[in-house]
Amino acid sequence: MTKDLFNLNVEEMTQAGLGTGHRVSRLHPRMKPYVSGIKSGVHTFDLEKTAEKFSEALNFIKNLISDGKILLIVGTKIPSRDLVRIAGDETNLPIVNNRWLGGIFTNFETISKRVNYYKQLLKDKQSGALEKYTKKERLLLDKKIESLKTKFDGIKEMSKLPEAVLVLDMKKDLIAAKEARKKGVKIIAVCDTNIDPNQADYMIPANDDAISSIKYILEKVKNTAIEAKKDFESKQVQKSQ
């Protein structure tokens, strides 16, 4: 079974808090098949079904990255920002972990120009090219660089639209999912009990609020991506021989 391939363990998922949904009154009707019961007025997930859907998502990610395609990770909630940044650093995948900028997908050409401007400023600073400016001008440029870093640092190496996006909270980053849908970018999404799972191509029925849940999910995605990148690099070596 694919869930065994990715070492998905129901007990570990329970401990990580993946199984806790929202209050009963907030249930989206399409999430009913993934709910197993109610505890203290809160729905709980059927984690066997979570493991099945999560394994489908991980298998898609594995195949995507092993083919050299791009996955963008989006998680802009303040508690998960560091986790998303670490996942991006360790996998070399692009990320958005601050505010989603409208147009990243739907107006990619314009966004790319801003990203290139940011990269040029970084290059000029590192080379000493900004030393020709006055101290006041350099301070203003430093502020500009910091502002652009917040917006674009996670996507500065994303030279084209990604083939897929992982959205960690569909309520918080619904605009990202809507833009992805418009541009034909596949959507992998963590779907809590209040989310319409039909918004995603690959859904992961799980708690999208608990930091421990997001950490577990990102660890699995990260490990899958790292192995898939090794597979891709191996394929490239074979092709060159």
Side-chain angles (χ1 to χ4, degrees), residues 7-196:
N7 296 315
L8 296 176
N9 182 286
V10 169
E11 186 176 336
E12 288 179 358
M13 288 192 288
T14 300
Q15 292 173 353
L18 274 72
T20 305
H22 285 286
R23 297 200 67 80
V24 172
S25 59
R26 297 178 64 187
L27 178 69
H28 193 287
R30 293 195 179 115
M31 287 302 293
K32 283 183 181 179
Y34 306 101
V35 167
S36 63
I38 299 170
K39 186 176 181 180
S40 302
V42 173
H43 275 122
T44 55
F45 284 102
D46 181 337
L47 289 179
E48 285 290 348
K49 290 183 178 178
T50 294
E52 289 173 13
K53 300 303 287 186
F54 194 8
S55 68
E56 289 175 15
L58 289 172
N59 198 51
F60 172 73
I61 291 169
K62 174 179 174 287
N63 292 332
L64 182 90
I65 295 175
S66 66
D67 284 341
K69 296 176 181 176
I70 301 171
L71 171 70
L72 171 67
I73 302 175
V74 178
T76 64
K77 275 184 178 175
I78 292 173
S80 62
R81 285 178 182 174
D82 282 345
L83 292 177
V84 173
R85 178 185 54 77
I86 291 167
D89 288 345
E90 294 185 1
T91 60
N92 288 320
L93 292 175
I95 64 162
V96 173
N97 69 336
N98 284 289
R99 183 174 65 87
W100 176 265
L101 293 173
I104 289 180
F105 290 159
T106 54
N107 199 9
F108 185 73
E109 186 177 343
T110 299
I111 293 291
S112 293
K113 288 177 182 177
R114 296 296 293 162
V115 170
N116 289 335
Y117 172 60
Y118 164 59
K119 290 169 73 173
Q120 186 60 51
L121 282 178
L122 281 179
K123 185 178 178 182
D124 289 347
K125 183 175 182 178
Q126 290 165 0
S127 69
L130 300 184
E131 293 302 314
K132 63 184 179 182
Y133 295 103
T134 66
K135 185 177 180 180
K136 184 177 179 181
E137 287 171 331
R138 290 200 304 272
L139 284 172
L140 289 173
L141 285 169
D142 283 342
K143 286 182 179 179
K144 172 69 74 175
I145 289 170
E146 282 304 308
S147 175
L148 293 171
K149 179 179 180 180
T150 299
K151 295 175 182 177
F152 301 124
D153 202 59
I155 59 169
K156 70 178 186 293
E157 303 304 329
M158 194 172 77
S159 59
K160 66 183 184 70
L161 277 176
E163 281 76 17
V165 58
L166 168 62
V167 181
L168 297 175
D169 187 318
M170 287 288 274
K171 285 284 186 185
K172 183 79 167 61
D173 292 307
L174 183 59
I175 295 172
K178 286 183 174 179
E179 286 196 20
R181 182 70 65 207
K182 284 182 182 177
K183 300 303 290 186
V185 176
K186 293 292 185 183
I187 302 165
I188 308 153
V190 180
C191 293
D192 212 322
T193 54
N194 62 333
I195 299 296
D196 178 2

